[in-house]
Amino acid sequence: FALDGIRLSKQLTPFEALNGKTQKYVALSVSSKPNESSAKDYYVKTISSESHLRYYNWVENNRLKVEKATNGRVGYIHIPDMSMEGLNEFVKYFYPQVRKEALIVDDRYNGGGNVSPMIIERLRRILLVAKNSRNQEEVMTNPDAVMTGPIVCLLNEISASDGDLFPYQFKKAGIGTLIGKRSWGGVIGIRGSLPFLDGSYLYKPEFANFGADGTWVLEGVGMQPDIEVDNHPAKEYKGEDEQLNKAIEVILEQIKTNTKPQIPKVPPFPDKSK
């Protein structure tokens, strides 16, 4: 109805009225009728970009799709990069879903960073010991937070830098199946220099990666998936994610033949009187 006391109209849209008001509190007058008498005022703080909201919506839609298609048996995680944000997203989604029967890890559009070894370490854990505490029904595991089911990894041509190295390590560690498109293929790292007077920067190659066999890996080549699936642009625009669909199909089949050690029930307590 109105924004900061200025009535909106065909000539003054909400988008125009919000110009110059980024990260500021604004007064929104809202009414179900075209008059001021029933209007209510709400004070909200604006944001500078919708990107985080759109990203959250995309991830949640994917997670809910996986949940619905698998009757809640399979978890879904997307890792946007291999830095602070990516690690936060992993922690936020991994631990609440670690007791599911299987897991889909989505590395698509990953912008890189340097935390992939931390994530790989958690995904490759195998149950070694189970434990139980007094007055506690839940069985704990050692190591902590163990995924006892199959894991698949989605990747695409925009999985870059440490987002390249992640599926490479995922495969080398024998964690699971790679699905999607060949990754970006850029794993030579850079560091910035002092800025130039005109505000520009010079980046130069500083470090590269090679495999345990002593051969250079990934640069200019990328990581090839086990199962290649391309998302058709028209179908993707309509909301059909063929790569995610394939991941769901594969993971449900892998659950049937899963051989990982499972979390056991608490055994009968020993009789120490004998």
Side-chain angles (χ1 to χ4, degrees):
F1 190 88
L3 196 150
D4 280 344
I6 302 174
R7 185 162 182 165
L8 303 175
S9 64
K10 291 182 179 180
Q11 289 72 38
L12 181 64
T13 67
F15 303 103
E16 293 172 306
L18 285 168
N19 277 337
K21 297 182 183 293
T22 300
Q23 299 291 337
K24 295 180 180 178
Y25 283 96
V26 297
L28 299 178
S29 299
V30 181
S31 176
S32 59
K33 300 177 182 179
N35 58 67
E36 299 180 14
S37 60
S38 60
K40 293 184 178 180
D41 291 337
Y42 298 90
Y43 292 87
V44 298
K45 188 176 183 180
T46 63
I47 56 177
S48 58
S49 172
E50 294 180 346
S51 60
H52 284 88
L53 296 177
R54 291 181 180 274
Y55 171 72
Y56 174 79
N57 186 63
W58 180 74
V59 171
E60 276 298 289
N61 283 340
N62 287 347
R63 187 187 65 80
L64 291 172
K65 178 179 180 177
V66 172
E67 185 176 86
K68 182 178 180 180
T70 65
N71 292 319
R73 300 167 68 193
V74 179
Y76 170 86
I77 301 171
H78 181 259
I79 308 173
D81 59 36
M82 291 298 173
S83 58
M84 182 174 65
E85 183 178 356
L87 202 55
N88 285 341
E89 288 296 306
F90 177 79
V91 169
K92 183 167 67 177
Y93 284 94
F94 175 70
Y95 290 99
Q97 300 182 97
V98 74
R99 290 294 178 94
K100 289 183 179 288
E101 294 181 49
L103 188 63
I104 296 172
V105 179
D106 195 343
D107 181 57
R108 295 177 296 176
Y109 311 105
N110 188 296
N114 58 9
V115 302
S116 65
M118 300 171 67
I119 297 175
I120 289 293
E121 185 277 324
R122 283 154 178 79
L123 295 179
R124 70 185 301 186
R125 291 175 179 176
I126 297 295
L127 176 64
L128 300 175
V129 176
K131 53 187 176 182
N132 176 249
S133 299
R134 182 187 296 274
N135 300 323
Q136 180 177 314
E137 294 184 1
E138 183 181 5
V139 176
M140 307 303 291
T141 63
N142 188 6
D144 188 27
V146 176
M147 167 50 63
T148 60
I151 307 173
V152 301
C153 174
L154 286 169
L155 68 159
N156 66 4
E157 61 274 21
I158 313 179
S159 303
S161 191
D162 206 24
D164 279 299
L165 285 165
F166 177 76
Y168 175 84
Q169 296 169 89
F170 187 93
K171 188 64 180 177
K172 285 293 182 180
I175 296 172
T177 305
L178 300 177
I179 300 171
K181 293 288 288 182
R182 179 166 58 91
S183 66
W184 184 57
V187 294
I188 293 180
I190 57 175
R191 292 191 182 97
S193 70
L194 293 174
F196 292 123
L197 290 176
D198 62 0
S200 60
Y201 285 83
L202 171 67
Y203 291 98
K204 56 188 183 298
E206 292 280 355
F207 45 88
N209 295 273
F210 53 91
D213 60 357
T215 59
W216 298 108
V217 297
L218 297 173
E219 185 64 30
V221 178
M223 187 62 193
Q224 188 69 31
D226 299 305
I227 303 173
E228 186 166 355
V229 181
D230 195 6
N231 272 349
H232 191 284
K235 292 182 179 179
E236 191 171 18
Y237 178 77
K238 294 179 180 179
E240 182 179 347
D241 190 335
E242 295 174 277
Q243 293 169 340
L244 184 57
N245 290 343
K246 188 64 177 180
I248 293 170
E249 175 191 329
V250 169
I251 203 75
L252 286 174
E253 286 299 314
Q254 291 184 353
I255 288 175
K256 299 176 183 178
T257 57
N258 179 35
T259 59
K260 286 185 178 180
Q262 298 299 296
I263 300 174
K265 295 181 179 179
V266 179
F269 295 115
D271 185 353
K272 296 293 186 178
S273 65
K274 297 179 181 179

